[in-house]
Amino acid sequence: MFNVAMPFLCCVSSAVTIGTDMLELDCHITKDEQVVVSHDANLKRSTGINVNVSDLKYCELPPYLCKLDVPFQRACKCEGKDNRIPLLKEVFEAFPETPINIDIKVNNNVLIKKVSELVKQYKREHLTVWGNASSEIVEKCYKENSDIPILFSLQRVLLILGLFFTGLLPFVPIREQFFEIPMPSIILNLLMRKALFDHLTARGIQVYVWVLNEEHEYKRAFDLGATGVMTDYPTKLKDFLNNFSA
Ligand SMILES: *[C@@H]1O[C@H](CO)[C@@H](O)[C@H](O)[C@H]1NC(C)=O
Ligand SMILES: *[C@@H]1O[C@H](CO)[C@@H](O)[C@H](O)[C@H]1NC(C)=O
């Protein structure tokens, strides 16, 4: 479904979360303030042309090469004729019901404001979670529009971890709704605790682990009580989940 519905999306979305299907997108802003979905700020890797998204107007952006060997193109064929770099609003229109995790890839106030406006315009607050590993960006997102759920920044992930091990976590308020654990990471083994996952999910926080591509990793995450995992291989994960729940 994912590849067929929109060929270009397979070039831009590094992973799909399954539990419920969720797209994970990286956003940038063009010179004429259009929000586009692109993994990198610089387009050399994806289009062959060494330019930055922020230096061009939307209509000036080069098309995707759609050839292989880029990590985020692994799971797809990119045979579609339409290999323009997509606007965020086009993704919203193509996937009106699908939850989307938006990574704000640059610390840019206009980008944050425009994404917020689009989310409002398409009434997707309940289908969106946004943020970045940087706590400064997450803070700006929250200030811009507190109706959109935010991700834990890396700093907050570490804080939560410290609170968990000192036993203080139950006493600390948490306003984030999505706890996403980056993989691979040295801290992952510390973080993958059933007691921690249980505590967070009991407080209504969704716990995602990414990016996992092996069955034994999927199993470990779900055994611990993860809400979902992000993967570059959605079909493999779907097959795993069918067996897991059966
Ligand atoms: C793209 O932006 C980066 C960071 O601002 C800068 O260092 C680089 O020179 C820019 N590249 C081009 C081709 O303008
Ligand atoms: C977070 O933002 C920084 C720029 O401030 C960027 O370099 C980084 O890739 C972003 N991280 C994620 C996970 O989006």
Side-chain angles (χ1 to χ4, degrees), residues 61-102:
L61 294 178
Y64 275 118
L65 284 175
C66 277
K67 67 169 197 236
L68 312 167
D69 225 32
V70 186
F72 52 88
Q73 292 184 352
R74 244 181 321 197
C76 65
K77 297 201 187 73
C78 292
E79 284 163 345
K81 294 208 171 59
D82 186 3
N83 53 0
R84 282 175 312 117
I85 294 174
L87 291 163
L88 181 61
K89 87 192 249 288
E90 294 175 317
V91 178
F92 285 175
E93 280 163 9
F95 293 89
E97 315 278 343
T98 307
I100 300 185
N101 174 329
I102 297 175

Side-chain angles (χ1 to χ4, degrees), residues 42 50-52 55:
N42 184 283
N50 182 15
V51 284
N52 289 340
D55 289 335

Side-chain angles (χ1 to χ4, degrees), residues 10-206:
C10 62
C11 302
V12 296
S13 125
S14 58
V16 183
T17 303
I18 305 207
T20 53
D21 280 320
M22 181 193 260
L23 300 176
E24 200 270 332
L25 305 176
D26 299 325
C27 286
H28 290 273
I29 191 141
T30 62
K31 196 172 166 187
D32 56 344
E33 301 192 345
Q34 303 284 317
V35 181
V36 295
V37 177
S38 168
H39 191 267
D40 303 329
N42 184 283
L43 296 174
K44 178 97 174 77
R45 195 165 69 137
S46 55
T47 71
I49 298 176
N50 182 15
V51 284
N52 289 340
V53 171
S54 58
D55 289 335
L56 296 180
K57 291 185 187 163
Y58 180 68
C59 63
E60 297 166 341
L61 294 178
Y64 275 118
L65 284 175
C66 277
K67 67 169 197 236
L68 312 167
D69 225 32
V70 186
F72 52 88
Q73 292 184 352
R74 244 181 321 197
C76 65
K77 297 201 187 73
C78 292
E79 284 163 345
K81 294 208 171 59
D82 186 3
N83 53 0
R84 282 175 312 117
I85 294 174
L87 291 163
L88 181 61
K89 87 192 249 288
E90 294 175 317
V91 178
F92 285 175
E93 280 163 9
F95 293 89
E97 315 278 343
T98 307
I100 300 185
N101 174 329
I102 297 175
D103 247 313
I104 300 291
K105 291 293 269 195
V106 273
N107 189 352
N108 176 309
N109 297 347
V110 179
L111 174 60
I112 292 169
K113 185 162 182 289
K114 292 280 171 189
V115 169
S116 166
E117 283 170 8
L118 285 168
V119 169
K120 258 191 244 171
Q121 184 190 339
Y122 286 86
K123 299 189 172 53
R124 297 184 54 99
E125 288 87 349
H126 64 297
L127 290 174
T128 305
V129 49
W130 64 341
N132 176 289
S134 136
S135 55
E136 194 187 335
I137 294 179
V138 174
E139 199 54 48
K140 283 185 181 177
C141 290
Y142 190 71
K143 283 218 181 89
E144 181 65 41
N145 188 341
S146 61
D147 293 337
I148 308 174
I150 46 175
L151 298 162
F152 280 81
S153 64
L154 188 57
Q155 196 183 323
R156 291 274 293 168
V157 169
L158 294 175
L159 175 68
I160 292 293
L161 188 62
L163 291 168
F164 174 70
F165 283 111
T166 53
L168 294 173
L169 189 56
F171 309 106
V172 175
I174 297 178
R175 64 172 191 208
E176 292 92 341
Q177 292 94 334
F178 284 73
F179 189 77
E180 298 194 356
I181 301 177
M183 268 273 290
S185 130
I186 310 161
I187 56 172
L188 183 85
N189 276 322
L190 286 171
L191 281 164
M192 295 278 270
R193 304 277 156 154
K194 185 149 176 50
L196 175 61
F197 283 26
D198 287 348
H199 177 84
L200 292 171
T201 49
R203 290 176 74 165
I205 296 160
Q206 303 191 32

